[in-house]
Amino acid sequence: MSMTTTRPPAGGGEIEIAIGGMTCASCANRIERKLNKLDGVTATVNYATEKAKVVYGGDVSPEDLVAEVEKAGYTAELPAVRQEEEARDERDELAPLRQRLITSIVLSVPVVAMAMIPALQFEYWQWLSLTLAAPVVVYGGWPFHRAAWTNLRHGTATMDTLVSLGTLAAFGWSLWALFLGTAGTPGMTHGFEFALARGDGAGNIYLEAAAGVIAFILAGRYFEARSKRRAGAALRALLSMGAKEVTLASGELVPVERLKTGDRFLVRPGEKIATDGVVEEGSSAVDASMLTGESVPVEVRPGDAVVGATVNAGGRLVVRATRVGSDTQLAQMARLVEEAQNGKAQVQRLADRISGIFVPIVIALSLATLGFWLGTGDGTAAAFTAAVAVLIIACPCALGLATPTALMVGTGRGAQLGILIKGPEVLESTRRIDTIVLDKTGTVTSGTMTLKDVFTAEGEDREEVLRLAGALESASEHPIARAVARAAGSTAAVEDFANVEGLGVQGVVDGHAVLVGRPQLLAEWSQHLPADLERELTGAQARGETAVAVGWDGRARAVLTVADVVKPTSAEAVAALRGLGLRPVLLTGDNEKVAGQVADAVGIEEVVADVLPADKVEVVKRLQAEGRTVAMVGDGVNDAAALAQADLGMAMGTGTDVAIEASDLTLVRGDLLVAADAIRLSRRTLGTIKGNLFWAFAYNVAALPLAAMGLLTPMIAGAAMAFSSVFVVSNSLRLRRFR
């Protein structure tokens, strides 16, 4: 892994610590308790991501935090500001564990086979079993024994303690039976039923249990590690998306890290855009699917903003950098996703508390099981078998993995679809909401003025009207003028351009004296609208649209209507939100007539119009006072307070940074349809978390009594324990298929 780091802030702050050596949820709980005992420290340790998020006070330094983790027997690093993280080679990362696993399996299989199949038990088979099992117990089980010893030195116990105790007890008993008991005699045989054998146990060996348990648990750890890596794949994909080199406008090829705000750089067809910027030269189609999930390329031309890591699918562009490094949209997305993955939902904190006290309880239960079976007179072998099975079956790892793995996969998948979930508490909010407030401008509508209709006088050519009007309007900076110019795309030259204050613009285009503006401007030049154009203008104004008249060479030629049009997907999105059981409310500062037109177009019945920006938060409060649980979708600075007040705030990614900062969910694509996807994904993730926790609890509730009753051999217990962790992680990975 490579990363760029800076020194953590002195005198208090918030940092992220990378922790190594954790092997189960109990490890994470132990580190978390140690850190939280320091004055002014609030820490959250995530077993799945192997990171601690720590807020610390002025009397504690980052070095103190690292020292505290290391005193607990783990490793710690201080990447204070992670700017870039390259994907690690999975083969290198998992190679030691895989090598230990393969060795253990190769040696364990004949040990288990000989113990369970009497036909394979030749005269001195038990001594061959010892020869094969010993390396498995020592080499294969070394990570468990080392961690158990570290825990013992610090007066604590984790899952490794249970595994080490159980396997060493089984191996030690076997050594006693072989060298001091009767198990080493020639021709000794036993089958699967030996685990419940009565007697003193001097003729029973448990080498297959010791070796088999280690092999099963190593297999579980290996597949768990692979699955956890897959769970975080979406975030690593985000972090690796950016361009590595960039060609400056001067032609020099430099690393992207050298790019500064204001620099101009080239983007050739097929290349990634190096950083966020504004197009200064050229026009093209930009494929932003990797960031927004939107498959249709977006057309850009001079003046349009582009986002780093998107792909130039068309012509050559010259872009001026506006944001670089950690300020880019890609970096902000990655930061939001990583923060969400490092958080803990309320349901996970309950599981953490349980797993934190679980290991001591299991050890006590194992001793109680041993005492009970000895007391019943069923023999030492039966008592020992049941006690070891209890030690091995009780794995709190599934509890520790239940929430973070689902959260990792869910937030990662969301990032791929253009949905950024800020934290695990957001998932709880999506389950409760019943009302969704939609800001009109920029959310339901495009937020920019767009040419809607062109009404021409009899005998006039529509294309000619647009060509002349668009050329004249291209010289103006007014939003209405820009809408007309954008639609026309005219390149005709303009002479004698003049802006007539409050009325419109005038100028000469290709020898024609052109007027565009209010009817009064044309009337001053004796160019009066014919009756049919007058009717169209009046109708457009009645619909809440802006209408401008066009004339040249002594005649009124056309009426153009401009409006903030409804986004193509808004009606479908409203229907999808209704399908999720939500009640949509349209919120706008426009008049009731305009608001009503938009509401009718998308299928919203409840409208709140004529709302001042400062009063939007009051609307949300009123709805909450009525007993509703409210989600709010907006994109502007004036939406920030309402987004923060709502039970669930969703900001359009095309909006302002203030709105995005105040929200709980960010919809990168700026498409309202994604809001429905975001709620579905959040609810699906929460459902997966609860399902994981249910099965993790159910596993322990069902398995512990069976082990205590002597109905499970230690080896089967080890296999079941490993399966429970792999099941939880695999169940979480199903979220990768969310559509």
Side-chain angles (χ1 to χ4, degrees), residues 142-468:
W142 178 247
F144 308 114
H145 308 321
R146 181 181 55 199
W149 173 247
T150 301
N151 294 331
L152 181 62
R153 284 169 41 216
H154 292 89
T156 60
T158 66
M159 182 59 214
D160 295 302
T161 306
L162 301 183
V163 175
S164 181
L165 271 178
T167 55
L168 288 179
F171 187 69
W173 180 281
S174 300
L175 290 178
W176 178 85
L178 284 169
F179 288 98
L180 301 177
T182 60
T185 58
M188 188 275 285
T189 62
H190 65 58
F192 187 78
E193 69 280 359
F194 85 98
L196 294 179
R198 303 296 185 257
D200 63 4
N204 292 327
I205 58 174
Y206 294 87
L207 294 173
E208 76 289 345
V213 163
I214 287 173
F216 274 124
I217 295 178
L218 282 176
R221 289 270 172 95
Y222 177 74
F223 289 115
E224 178 186 305
R226 280 189 58 187
S227 298
K228 282 164 61 178
R229 181 165 181 78
R230 288 174 64 198
L235 176 58
R236 287 192 299 277
L238 263 184
L239 290 164
S240 63
M241 257 197 257
K244 302 298 184 288
E245 294 181 319
V246 57
T247 304
L248 300 179
S250 62
E252 181 184 4
L253 183 67
V254 299
V256 73
E257 292 82 7
R258 284 181 51 187
L259 205 58
K260 300 186 295 295
T261 301
D263 285 350
R264 298 171 77 244
F265 60 92
L266 304 178
V267 189
R268 300 181 182 89
E271 290 183 342
K272 288 182 180 179
I273 296 174
T275 192
D276 298 359
V278 174
V279 177
E280 292 200 336
E281 297 178 22
S283 60
S284 181
V286 172
D287 179 2
S289 58
M290 60 185 66
L291 288 183
T292 67
E294 176 58 67
S295 59
V296 179
V298 178
E299 296 291 335
V300 296
R301 52 176 58 91
D304 289 340
V306 290
V307 178
T310 55
V311 177
N312 177 16
R316 177 180 179 275
L317 297 175
V318 177
V319 179
R320 175 174 49 83
T322 56
R323 292 193 292 192
V324 297
S326 60
D327 295 328
T328 63
Q329 182 172 326
L330 175 65
Q332 291 171 1
M333 284 176 64
R335 187 163 57 247
L336 282 173
V337 173
E338 189 159 17
E339 286 175 359
Q341 292 181 348
N342 283 335
K344 287 189 179 181
Q346 198 61 36
V347 288
Q348 176 64 21
R349 297 192 181 277
L350 172 62
D352 285 349
R353 286 196 294 271
I354 293 172
S355 61
I357 62 173
F358 199 66
V359 172
I361 291 175
V362 168
I363 293 175
L365 182 60
S366 177
L367 292 174
T369 300
L370 180 66
F372 171 79
W373 280 94
L374 289 174
T376 61
D378 283 321
T380 308
F384 180 80
T385 300
V388 171
V390 167
L391 283 175
I392 292 171
I393 195 73
C395 172
C397 292
L399 286 176
L401 291 168
T403 294
T405 51
L407 196 62
M408 286 172 70
V409 182
T411 53
R413 180 60 181 148
Q416 291 175 329
L417 297 174
I419 302 164
L420 299 184
I421 303 172
K422 274 197 175 177
E425 63 281 351
V426 174
L427 306 177
E428 297 280 2
S429 301
T430 60
R431 178 175 57 86
R432 298 192 305 268
I433 60 172
D434 53 39
T435 301
I436 185 162
V437 176
L438 307 175
D439 179 61
K440 180 184 78 71
T441 305
T443 302
V444 178
T445 64
S446 65
T448 57
M449 301 300 281
T450 304
L451 180 66
K452 191 173 181 184
D453 288 306
V454 178
F455 301 104
T456 59
E458 186 176 354
E460 297 296 335
D461 178 61
R462 184 181 186 277
E463 297 303 321
E464 182 68 2
V465 167
L466 270 181
R467 188 180 74 84
L468 296 179

Side-chain angles (χ1 to χ4, degrees), residues 581-647:
L582 306 180
R583 181 177 174 183
V585 177
L586 186 67
L587 181 65
T588 179
D590 282 344
N591 60 63
E592 288 190 14
K593 184 179 293 184
V594 173
Q597 292 276 348
V598 173
D600 290 342
V602 298
I604 297 178
E605 297 171 0
E606 191 171 349
V607 179
V608 182
D610 294 311
V611 178
L612 295 175
D615 294 334
K616 289 184 177 182
V617 68
E618 296 302 323
V619 174
V620 174
K621 286 181 179 179
R622 176 173 59 78
L623 292 171
Q624 290 171 328
E626 294 174 2
R628 304 197 207 180
T629 305
V630 180
M632 166 81 183
V633 186
D635 76 327
V637 172
N638 55 28
D639 297 324
L643 288 168
Q645 174 63 37
D647 299 286

